[in-house]
Amino acid sequence: MSGAKPFSILVIDDDKSMRQSVCDLLEAAGWQTVAVARAAVGLERLAELAPDAILSDVRMPGMSGLDLLAGLDPASAPPLVLISAHGDIPMAVKAMQDGAYSFVEKPYEPRRLLAILRHAAEQHRMQQSNARLKARLYALSGLDRVLLGQTAPVVQLRQEILDLADTGAAVLIEGETGTGKELAARALHDLGPNADAPFLALNCAALSPATFEAEMFGTDGRSGGRLLAASGGTLFLDEICSCPPEVQAKLLRVIEDKQILPAGGQLPVPVSFRVVSATNEDAELAVQENRLRKDLLFRLNTMVLSLPPLRQRRDDLTLLAAHFLSQFAQLYETAVPEMSQDDLTALMAHSWPGNVRELRSVCERRVLAARRGAGTMAAAIRMDQQLEDVPDTLREAVAAFERELIGKAVKAHEGRMDAAAEALGIGRRTLNEKIVKLGLDKDALL
């Protein structure tokens, strides 16, 4: 279970020696156990104990195991495994049809019983996790739905957007490809005082110096141009560091003068818009390399928003995946695929170079595969993954994953190594050895 909360179980059997024997077996395997002699008592304490699984005898005085099964709420109750020395095939079939997770005959084989109970508990926790995610998604609204996530970097980003939305100040949005820069820009516009005015998004890398003035400024007496049409709203300059130098000069003049001169015209036309720009590069470096005008950057970076890459907000992965799976399932009119433990492992192990955009594509492929009754997250990810992104050997892959987990644990426990080791399910000495072996810098992690 590697640092996770131990599984818990409610054992119900009127035979004291059997109860003790089962509890000893489970506790030796790391389970937390509560044992009672009557099914009615177990049913009464179920909400209080909230176990991951129930193991109950079938034939007991008063309420039987089958009666207990009938009294459980199938939507919320933990899985029930029935055990009996008097069981037969018809009883087992009936129990499974009525919703029992499994049926075990006495005398039981310890390893088989532990395996059945572990699988039952894992399934229950997965169902609970999915239910919580669906509830959180249903409750989210507004900016939470636009920039989805609950980790500290995303919460801070949403607060910064709320703070800047009504200021009108120029904002430069920095972030890797696929982190949602245009989403952030649209949020600034939609939450601002001019939300009903136009939002004009320009891909600066695609702007042509030869046609820029006619397209953007318009032609006297014939066309007003795109900038005039966007007046009063927001001008979003995407990929600003890739803007041609001649176009940068013309944009700077418009931003400074707040007016345009249509082609063939004699009189300038006033325009007014908020300027939001975005880049996936280091803007200061682009200035040093003479690819971005310094005076234009000064006009654009009054305030700066930095969008975190997905690898720095891994705790949002499951929430984002659940959101996209639900979104695409609705689009393609199919059931939402359930995420298995293997799916979650694949999500956490991937480096997500394409960030949220890549995750969205992976989830779409997962839903399309599910329509055919097949597919896994790992298979959907592999279609996006280039060979150069994959470690050459299994040893390198394991080392990379261990670095990620250990770094996350040390950071989460603020450098308290005993707590980090416990969370990882290893000893303090083993943790220290791994940190040295993997070349991790504890101070850098903090």
Side-chain angles (χ1 to χ4, degrees):
M1 287 177 285
S2 185
K5 178 184 176 183
F7 290 135
S8 62
I9 189 166
L10 173 61
V11 178
I12 306 173
D13 199 313
D14 65 322
D15 185 332
K16 183 177 180 180
S17 62
M18 178 59 71
R19 289 199 310 272
Q20 190 61 53
S21 172
V22 170
C23 288
D24 288 345
L25 172 67
L26 289 164
E27 288 170 1
W31 286 65
Q32 295 177 345
T33 66
V34 174
V36 297
R38 295 289 184 268
V41 176
L43 189 60
E44 184 180 331
R45 298 188 60 190
L46 193 59
E48 164 207 342
L49 298 172
D52 294 306
I54 305 171
L55 177 65
S56 175
D57 197 359
V58 172
R59 304 196 181 192
M60 294 177 291
M63 179 182 285
S64 70
L66 295 176
D67 294 333
L68 171 65
L69 176 62
L72 295 174
D73 180 359
S76 60
L80 173 64
V81 176
L82 293 169
I83 184 167
S84 176
H86 310 285
D88 54 15
I89 292 178
M91 180 185 291
V93 171
K94 179 68 166 56
M96 300 288 283
Q97 288 175 341
D98 289 344
Y101 183 83
S102 189
F103 188 96
V104 180
E105 284 192 287
K106 298 177 185 176
Y108 59 84
E109 200 284 309
R111 283 181 297 181
R112 179 171 180 269
L113 177 62
L114 285 173
I116 290 172
L117 292 175
R118 184 178 67 254
H119 292 156
E122 287 174 348
Q123 176 179 297
H124 181 58
R125 286 198 178 178
M126 186 66 63
Q127 289 172 343
Q128 285 185 314
S129 175
N130 287 337
R132 284 193 297 269
L133 286 172
K134 289 175 183 176
R136 286 167 67 186
L137 285 170
Y138 183 79
L140 292 175
S141 61
L143 187 55
D144 287 333
R145 278 200 177 276
V146 175
L147 295 168
L148 193 63
Q150 296 300 313
T151 53
V154 180
V155 172
Q156 181 180 344
L157 174 63
R158 287 198 294 261
Q159 186 57 57
E160 290 175 349
I161 289 174
L162 288 171
D163 292 342
L164 291 173
D166 61 356
T167 66
V171 178
L172 174 63
I173 303 174
E174 300 176 331
E176 296 178 7
T177 298
T179 50
K181 294 185 289 297
E182 184 167 345
L183 281 177
R186 286 188 177 275
L188 285 167
H189 172 78
D190 292 341
L191 295 169
N194 300 317
D196 294 333
F199 177 91
L200 175 60
L202 299 180
N203 181 350
C204 293
L207 296 176
S208 167
T211 61
F212 179 81
E213 291 193 20
E215 182 182 357
M216 296 298 157
F217 299 169
T219 304
D220 187 45
R222 286 190 293 172
S223 168
R226 298 179 69 185
L227 291 182
L228 183 60
S231 187
T234 298
L235 175 63
F236 175 52
L237 303 173
D238 197 10
E239 297 189 46
I240 188 62
C241 291
S242 299
C243 189
E246 303 93 328
V247 173
Q248 290 185 37
K250 295 170 183 177
L251 282 173
L252 177 62
R253 188 170 68 247
V254 172
I255 293 170
E256 288 183 332
D257 297 343
K258 294 183 173 57
Q259 59 184 19
I260 59 174
L261 181 64
Q266 301 296 319
L267 297 175
V269 179
V271 290
S272 173
F273 35 67
R274 180 182 197 171
V275 180
V276 178
S277 53
T279 178
N280 58 10
E281 300 184 51
D282 183 335
E284 295 287 352
L285 180 60
V287 169
Q288 294 174 21
E289 295 175 349
N290 295 318
R291 293 186 293 112
L292 179 64
R293 293 177 61 121
K294 181 182 290 187
D295 47 2
L296 177 58
L297 178 60
F298 289 160
R299 287 290 184 177
L300 300 178
N301 68 351
T302 304
M303 300 299 296
V304 176
L305 283 178
S306 296
L307 273 58
L310 192 52
R311 63 181 175 275
Q312 291 181 3
R313 42 181 295 218
R314 287 185 176 274
D315 287 347
D316 284 332
L317 271 170
T318 312
L319 180 63
L320 286 165
H323 170 69
F324 291 138
L325 289 173
S326 176
Q327 190 179 66
F328 284 115
Q330 183 177 5
L331 175 64
Y332 293 114
E333 298 180 345
T334 189
V336 180
E338 293 289 341
M339 283 191 287
S340 68
Q341 189 63 49
D342 288 342
D343 288 333
L344 295 177
T345 300
L347 286 174
M348 297 303 294
H350 189 48
S351 60
W352 300 108
N355 294 293
V356 178
R357 184 182 299 159
E358 179 187 4
L359 176 61
R360 190 174 186 274
S361 297
V362 166
C363 290
E364 183 174 13
R365 283 198 295 275
R366 177 69 186 92
V367 168
L368 289 173
R371 292 177 71 192
R372 304 190 300 271
T376 62
M377 278 293 185
I381 289 170
R382 279 196 296 272
M383 293 183 66
D384 256 4
Q385 197 167 359
Q386 300 299 317
L387 289 177
E388 57 265 25
D389 295 331
V390 182
D392 292 332
T393 67
L394 178 61
R395 180 175 297 175
E396 290 174 351
V398 171
F401 192 48
E402 284 190 332
R403 286 191 193 96
E404 181 77 30
L405 291 179
I406 291 173
K408 182 177 177 181
V410 171
K411 187 174 181 180
H413 294 282
E414 299 176 343
R416 300 191 303 276
M417 303 305 286
D418 288 334
E422 182 179 354
L424 291 165
I426 59 178
R428 169 67 182 274
R429 180 177 177 181
T430 301
L431 176 58
N432 290 339
E433 291 173 349
K434 284 185 176 294
I435 286 176
V436 173
K437 181 179 177 181
L438 296 170
L440 289 169
D441 184 347
K442 177 186 168 185
D443 293 334
L445 293 173
L446 300 175

